[in-house]
Amino acid sequence: MKKLGLIGAGQLAYMICEAAKTWDVACICLDKSDAPAHRLCQDRIVGSTNDGTKYTELAKKSDVLTIEIEKIDLEALGDLNIIPNEQCLKILCNKYLQKEFLQENKIPSAPFFLVTSRSDLERNKDGSFVLKLASGGYDGRGVFTWPNSDLKDDFFHSQVYAEEKQEIAKELAMIVSRNAKGQIASFPATEMQMREDKQLDYLFSPAAIEETLNHQMQDICKNIVTKLNYQGVLAIEFFLTKSGELLVNEMAPRPHNSGHHTIEACESSQFDHVIASAFDWDLPSTKQNQAAAVLNLIGLSKEQCESLLEPEIRGAYLHYYHKAARPGRKVGHICFVAQRLEDAVENLKKVQERIKEYA
Ligand code: ADP
């Protein structure tokens, strides 16, 4: 039995552990004691995911080492082999370095510049920007509008860059994987349905886009993983602008929320691809057999999550992450599948109504 060492035991690791059962792979996870995947993995190391002193211990127990979280101590990896490799992680764990990589390789993304102080922005008075932290932000928490009177001077002590504000028509994502042999597979595109307040409402796949756009996204994904000599699963988020331009927004060197539906809707899941690519096995089919819509469950208790699925709602799959409920915390998701996307979305909306009763 092969052994996969995972830095991180969050919900992504939990779903990797679930997939590993069908591959005859054992998972060993490093994370704090209450992390979700510690319940499922075959062996565990308790500690912080950015405590580099634990990496050697994890590597000794594993055939292959990989990550499920970007919050790791890259310097501490030393000579240890990791998938994706250290060079890829250096770029992908820092959004500013991602932007430089995209620019150097002429891959379309919004124009940007590094910001070291307020005056860098004040000099560009005509521009309309969004400010982004190069690392540490997630789910919109590292993104700020400009001008912004709430930002204190010490904000600019972190690595920050400004990006030209785009008129976004659609937010899209694609999951791609590549093994060491150079095989590449991508899943059909996902669309993020945003609310009026620009927060995520739900996700659905296949995205409501022309086939040519899907191909354009696939080509960009292939280009990126090839240029990076990437091994593993990579999630790529895109903007389709109102003028029809396809821009790469950001990338994550791991499975992603926009690929959760692949568990139920596709012939293999993004988590199967973590395993296949890590061991350089053939990448399984990414064919999507059903339409899917995914609703994230935020701040709900286990009982509340479990009470959401009425028996009359067909094709609904609850994934509870075994995390204590806190306001704003993602504690699970429900994937709704159906032959027609409208049916999956209709069921999702019924559950959204039930959630409102808990508010
Ligand atoms: P995070 O990794 O925290 O999700 P993103 O870079 O994806 O950060 O930004 C969060 C959201 O902010 C995006 O989903 C999008 O709605 C908005 N946004 C980000 N960059 C831009 C931009 N250049 N122009 C307009 N809106 C943007």
Side-chain angles (χ1 to χ4, degrees):
M1 191 183 238
K2 289 282 186 191
K3 297 194 185 102
L4 181 66
L6 282 159
I7 302 179
Q11 65 259 27
L12 298 175
Y14 190 91
M15 290 182 267
I16 294 169
C17 290
E18 285 179 326
K21 287 187 213 153
T22 62
W23 287 88
D24 205 23
V25 165
C27 294
I28 305 109
C29 295
L30 161 66
D31 210 332
K32 50 191 186 320
S33 61
D34 61 349
H38 279 330
R39 301 166 159 260
L40 268 192
C41 59
Q42 277 68 25
D43 198 358
R44 74 203 54 147
I45 298 172
V46 175
S48 162
T49 57
N50 53 15
D51 176 358
T53 61
K54 304 275 187 194
Y55 297 167
T56 315
E57 192 185 337
L58 182 64
K60 273 200 195 123
K61 289 174 179 266
S62 321
D63 297 309
V64 172
L65 197 60
T66 189
I67 58 153
E68 69 104 47
I69 188 168
E70 286 98 320
K71 221 178 79 186
I72 64 166
D73 181 356
L74 282 170
E75 300 302 320
L77 284 170
D79 296 333
L80 294 179
N81 278 327
I82 188 152
I83 287 165
N85 70 38
E86 208 182 322
Q87 190 50 33
C88 289
L89 289 178
K90 273 198 179 124
I91 297 171
L92 295 164
C93 295
N94 180 300
K95 286 170 67 165
Y96 180 71
L97 295 182
Q98 289 188 17
K99 294 288 289 183
E100 284 195 327
F101 165 82
L102 294 169
Q103 189 178 49
E104 279 160 19
N105 289 285
K106 302 191 171 46
I107 296 161
S109 88
F112 69 105
F113 57 91
L114 192 63
V115 175
T116 52
S117 71
R118 213 174 273 279
S119 56
D120 290 346
L121 291 157
E122 283 158 356
R123 240 178 278 134
N124 282 285
K125 275 210 170 50
D126 300 335
S128 190
F129 304 114
V130 287
L131 292 183
K132 298 192 181 186
L133 287 174
S135 54
Y138 62 95
D139 288 346
R141 272 166 239 198
V143 178
F144 306 86
T145 52
W146 180 263
N148 190 325
S149 53
D150 295 338
L151 295 177
K152 308 270 177 290
D153 283 343
D154 61 1
F155 170 78
F156 296 97
H157 298 164
S158 307
Q159 195 182 18
V160 178
Y161 63 99
E163 209 174 87
E164 212 170 77
K165 191 158 190 247
Q166 303 298 311
E167 291 289 331
I168 300 172
K170 280 180 191 284
E171 299 204 27
L172 303 165
M174 191 168 268
I175 305 290
V176 56
S177 72
R178 184 174 180 273
N179 61 17
K181 289 194 277 279
Q183 288 177 339
I184 299 172
S186 57
F187 288 90
T190 296
E191 183 165 337
M192 278 80 100
Q193 182 71 41
M194 309 307 278
R195 295 195 306 244
E196 289 277 307
D197 64 0
K198 298 205 159 50
Q199 296 298 305
L200 179 72
D201 191 4
Y202 60 90
L203 308 98
F204 64 91
S205 181
I209 54 173
E210 301 277 333
E211 202 41 40
T212 49
L213 196 62
N214 223 320
H215 285 137
Q216 225 177 312
M217 289 171 74
Q218 279 170 356
D219 288 345
I220 291 176
C221 288
K222 274 188 199 153
N223 188 11
I224 290 175
V225 290
T226 308
K227 292 258 164 59
L228 284 168
N229 192 21
Y230 191 81
Q231 187 178 356
V233 166
L234 180 69
I236 307 184
E237 291 183 43
F238 294 83
F239 296 143
L240 178 66
T241 67
K242 289 193 175 155
S243 60
E245 249 187 314
L246 182 65
L247 304 175
V248 172
N249 172 26
E250 61 168 342
M251 302 179 272
R254 52 168 172 77
H256 191 255
N257 200 174
S258 60
H260 287 356
H261 65 282
T262 56
I263 297 174
E264 284 88 16
C266 298
E267 288 185 358
S268 65
S269 74
Q270 60 172 348
F271 305 101
D272 291 316
H273 280 250
V274 168
I275 294 158
S277 58
F279 292 106
D280 197 20
W281 294 332
D282 284 346
L283 302 176
S285 161
T286 53
K287 185 163 177 264
Q288 186 161 348
N289 293 322
Q290 294 192 85
V294 169
L295 179 66
N296 288 334
L297 303 175
I298 315 281
L300 301 178
S301 68
K302 184 168 191 262
E303 292 67 32
Q304 287 173 326
C305 292
E306 284 170 351
S307 72
L308 290 171
L309 293 187
E310 302 258 310
E312 80 267 11
I313 298 182
R314 301 206 161 209
Y317 298 85
L318 170 68
H319 294 259
Y320 177 68
Y321 302 157
H322 301 279
K323 283 171 146 185
R326 270 194 237 127
R329 192 182 209 193
K330 218 185 282 174
V331 295
H333 74 265
I334 303 175
C335 178
F336 300 85
V337 289
Q339 281 311 315
R340 296 180 339 146
L341 181 64
E342 306 88 278
D343 296 335
V345 171
E346 192 184 314
N347 283 337
L348 179 147
K349 292 201 163 153
K350 281 186 198 151
V351 171
Q352 269 182 329
E353 285 309 310
R354 299 208 61 183
I355 292 176
K356 282 187 193 148
E357 292 165 19
Y358 294 132

